[in-house]
Amino acid sequence: MTESSESCQQLRNQRPESVERPSKLARIESSDGGEEERELNMSPNPRIQRYLIAVEYIGTRFSGAQKQSTCRTVVGVLEDAFQKFIGQPVPVFCSSRTDAGVHALSNVCHVDVERISKRKPGEVLLPHEPAVVKRAVNHFLQKNEGDIMVIDVKCVPSDFHARYKALERTYFYRLLSGKEPLSTFEKDQAWHVPEELSLLAMQKACGVLVGRHDFSSFRAAACQAKSPIRTLDELTITEVPSSPYFPTMLEREQSNYASASSVSISKKLQNDSPTLAGISDELIENSGAVPVQGFGVRKRHRCFVVTARARSFLYHQVRLLVGVLKSVGTGDITHSDVKKILEAKNISAAPPMAPACGLYLGHVNYDLPSDA
C-alpha cells in the first residue's frame, strides 16, 4: 500500500461509525466577501473520502468558476467529470470563485467521493488513491475542451473545507506594453497596453497600497463583504521576459560560453559575425547596442507581472488595483493621486479596472494535515 493510500485509510478509520445525521448550515462571513451558508458535517459517512483537488485552467471559455445552470463553468465541468468517474453526482466546492475570463495556475476544490463496490453493493472499499483520482478525472476532462486539468490531489479530513481553510491567496496579473499588436499566442492571456509603462512609478504606487486599509475605492458595487477592510500582504510589480520566450542566436551562444558543459561554439555564428561571438552581456549593455530585428521576427512587448497576496480579497479588488497601477505607469495619475484614491473610499475615484484576461489565480495556501 502506498503512502497516499495509507493516509486515506487512516483518515477513514478515524471517522465514527455512527448513523448519518443531516448536516447543519451556519451563516458566516466568507473569506473573499459576503455572507455564506457554510456546511458543517456533524457526523460524516465513514464510507466517504474527502479529496482536496488543485486544478489549472484557461478561463477564456469559462463563465467563471461558480456553477451556473446555463453556462459552462469550472465547477460544472469538474462535477461532470467526477460523475463519469464514480457513476453518481457529487458537489464540488471551490476555494476561489474566479470571474469569467480569469485563469488559474492553481485553484483548489474539495469533493466527497464514496467508493462503491459494483459486485457487492454493501461492501466498504478503501478510498481511491489520489493518483487514481487525478488520472481518472483528467481522462474525462481532456475529452471536454482540454482547457482544464487536475494538477494535484490529496486526502483530507471530512471537515477540511477548500474555501474556509485557506490561509492565503496569491494572484498574478500580466500586462504587455508596446505599440505592436498582441501576438496570437498571447490572445486573452494578458492586458495589452500600447503606451510605455514606467516600472519605477508603478513600484512606488505599490508601496502606498500594500498593508491594512479600507479598500472601498477598490471594491466593486456588487461586493457582498461586510467590511472593506483588508490586509494586502504583498503588492509588487516585476518586469519579466514576455511569453512565449525563445532565445536569440546571440543569447544561445552566450549561454554556451557560461556553461561548463559547452563543447563548441556555433560555426555559423563565427562565420557570419565573428565579432559578436565573444561579446559579453556587460559590453552589450555598456555599448547601448540595439539588437537587430530580422525579417519575420516579431518585436517583443515589455511584460510586467503584478503580484497580489492576501488572506482574502474584495470583489474585483485585484483588477481595480492593477487599473490604478497601469494609470500610474502611463503617467495619467501620479504617486500622490494613488493615496488620494485610497483615502476617497469610493470606487468612483479609481480609474477603470483591468480586464479579466490578464488575471491568474496563482496559489492557495493551507495548513495541510501530514500524510504520515
Side-chain angles (χ1 to χ4, degrees):
M1 187 181 293
T2 67
E3 183 179 346
S4 297
S5 60
E6 287 177 354
S7 174
C8 289
Q9 174 67 2
Q10 289 170 2
L11 290 170
R12 186 177 68 84
N13 290 339
Q14 292 171 3
R15 300 178 184 131
E17 298 287 340
S18 58
V19 180
E20 279 191 71
R21 297 178 185 174
S23 359
K24 290 188 177 180
L25 295 175
R27 283 197 171 273
I28 65 170
E29 186 182 352
S30 71
S31 59
D32 52 357
E35 193 177 72
E36 296 286 334
E37 286 188 336
R38 174 175 173 181
E39 182 181 350
L40 301 176
N41 293 317
M42 298 302 295
S43 181
N45 185 339
R47 295 172 57 171
I48 294 178
Q49 173 61 55
R50 178 162 292 188
Y51 295 93
L52 206 59
I53 313 290
V55 293
E56 65 178 13
Y57 51 86
I58 300 171
T60 308
R61 292 193 293 271
F62 287 105
S63 297
Q66 194 172 10
K67 189 173 182 180
Q68 302 175 42
S69 58
T70 59
C71 301
R72 183 174 184 261
T73 65
V74 172
V75 167
V77 169
L78 285 172
E79 288 183 351
D80 288 344
F82 269 99
Q83 182 169 356
K84 291 174 182 177
F85 167 39
I86 63 176
Q88 59 184 351
V90 290
V92 173
F93 299 89
C94 255
S95 66
S96 301
R97 299 179 296 181
T98 55
D99 287 337
V102 175
H103 317 291
L105 305 178
S106 180
N107 197 350
V108 182
C109 314
H110 77 254
V111 60
D112 294 332
V113 174
E114 181 179 10
R115 189 177 180 186
I116 301 172
S117 173
K118 295 181 180 179
R119 292 179 298 176
K120 300 178 181 179
E123 183 181 3
V124 178
L125 300 176
L126 292 175
H128 293 288
E129 292 188 21
V132 172
V133 176
K134 177 181 176 182
R135 185 167 59 250
V137 174
N138 276 336
H139 170 75
F140 294 110
L141 289 176
Q142 295 312 301
K143 288 188 173 183
N144 202 283
E145 297 286 342
D147 51 2
I148 180 170
M149 178 178 286
V150 174
I151 60 173
D152 211 353
V153 179
K154 182 180 178 66
C155 293
V156 292
S158 59
D159 63 348
F160 194 98
H161 199 289
R163 186 173 181 186
Y164 303 112
K165 290 285 188 178
L167 301 177
E168 192 176 66
R169 294 168 174 84
T170 301
Y171 282 90
F172 300 111
Y173 196 99
R174 298 182 67 237
L175 303 100
L176 293 177
S177 170
K179 295 180 181 179
E180 290 290 317
L182 206 60
S183 166
T184 303
F185 294 104
E186 292 285 9
K187 183 182 179 182
D188 298 322
Q189 308 294 310
W191 183 12
H192 179 213
V193 179
E195 301 94 334
E196 286 294 321
L197 293 173
S198 168
L199 178 60
L200 182 60
M202 292 187 289
Q203 288 174 335
K204 287 182 65 178
C206 287
V208 176
L209 297 166
V210 75
R212 185 173 178 83
H213 303 287
D214 181 332
F215 281 102
S216 293
S217 296
F218 300 89
R219 176 189 190 185
C223 182
Q224 298 176 357
K226 289 182 178 179
S227 170
I229 306 297
R230 288 293 184 271
T231 300
L232 196 54
D233 296 311
E234 178 184 355
L235 184 66
T236 57
I237 184 163
T238 312
E239 185 167 6
V240 300
S242 58
S243 176
Y245 182 87
F246 303 102
T248 63
M249 182 178 293
L250 179 57
E251 289 169 334
R252 296 195 300 270
E253 292 304 326
Q254 289 172 344
S255 176
N256 287 339
Y257 274 119
S259 173
S261 60
S262 177
V263 178
S264 62
I265 302 171
S266 168
K267 291 182 179 180
K268 184 178 185 304
L269 181 60
Q270 290 178 338
N271 294 334
D272 293 351
S273 184
T275 58
L276 286 177
I279 295 181
S280 66
D281 290 333
E282 183 179 357
L283 288 175
I284 293 176
E285 182 179 350
N286 291 340
S287 67
V290 178
V292 178
Q293 198 72 31
F295 175 78
V297 179
R298 170 179 279 278
K299 185 178 180 181
R300 295 173 182 166
H301 292 86
R302 293 181 68 188
C303 182
F304 302 90
V305 175
V306 177
T307 303
R309 179 170 53 86
R311 180 181 179 273
S312 62
F313 293 87
L314 299 168
Y315 186 45
H316 286 168
Q317 181 180 353
V318 177
R319 289 166 61 186
L320 285 161
L321 289 168
V322 173
V324 166
L325 294 179
K326 176 262 182 184
S327 295
V328 171
T330 57
D332 293 334
I333 61 175
T334 64
H335 171 267
S336 59
D337 291 329
V338 176
K339 189 174 182 180
K340 293 177 183 177
I341 292 169
L342 183 64
E343 292 173 346
K345 300 178 184 178
N346 193 313
I347 191 173
S348 63
M353 71 177 178
C357 60
L359 185 59
Y360 295 73
L361 174 58
H363 182 66
V364 184
N365 188 33
Y366 298 92
D367 182 11
L368 290 172
S370 172
D371 287 335

